[in-house]
Amino acid sequence: MITVQIIYFGLMFWFGLYIVSRDARNVRLLLAGLGVIVCSFGVGAAVLMPYSLEPQRIALPLSKIQDISSYLPLVLWQGAVLSTVAGKEDKRNAFMCRFLYLPA
């Protein structure tokens, strides 16, 4: 089972690096790729957690990495989606249409 988890971590990390390297100047790809990379760190921390021998030295930082990596990808992916919406229209028009449900 650990080999499947390690392969999953490696594929997620590689895919995040691949998305970022496609075009690092594109904000949407950068945010989406960083979200995948941070999510892979959470998977890696979950894989290493049962093998931490000293609870205070290793398990505490791993649990903090797991906590951060459970929320930060959601923020990054939301930023990628919002940059898509704001990129196609005027920012004021996008706010009025999307959030206040007024016709364009």
Side-chain angles (χ1 to χ4, degrees), residues 16 19-20 23-24 26-38 72-84:
I19 291 173
V20 169
D23 187 11
N26 190 346
V27 176
R28 289 173 284 207
L29 290 177
L30 181 66
L31 290 174
L34 287 176
V36 174
I37 290 171
V38 171
L72 189 58
L74 300 174
V75 173
L76 292 169
W77 292 330
Q78 185 177 12
V81 169
L82 289 178
S83 70
T84 302

Side-chain angles (χ1 to χ4, degrees), residues 52-61:
S52 61
L53 297 176
E54 298 177 24
Q56 278 107 15
R57 278 187 78 189
I58 298 173
L60 187 62

Side-chain angles (χ1 to χ4, degrees), residues 37-92:
I37 290 171
V38 171
C39 190
S40 73
F41 285 149
V43 170
V47 168
L48 293 176
M49 187 70 80
Y51 301 104
S52 61
L53 297 176
E54 298 177 24
Q56 278 107 15
R57 278 187 78 189
I58 298 173
L60 187 62
L62 286 177
S63 67
K64 289 188 185 220
I65 290 171
Q66 246 182 332
D67 290 342
I68 290 171
S69 66
S70 63
Y71 298 114
L72 189 58
L74 300 174
V75 173
L76 292 169
W77 292 330
Q78 185 177 12
V81 169
L82 289 178
S83 70
T84 302
V85 171
K88 293 187 178 182
E89 301 178 15
D90 183 31
K91 290 183 181 180
R92 178 185 164 109

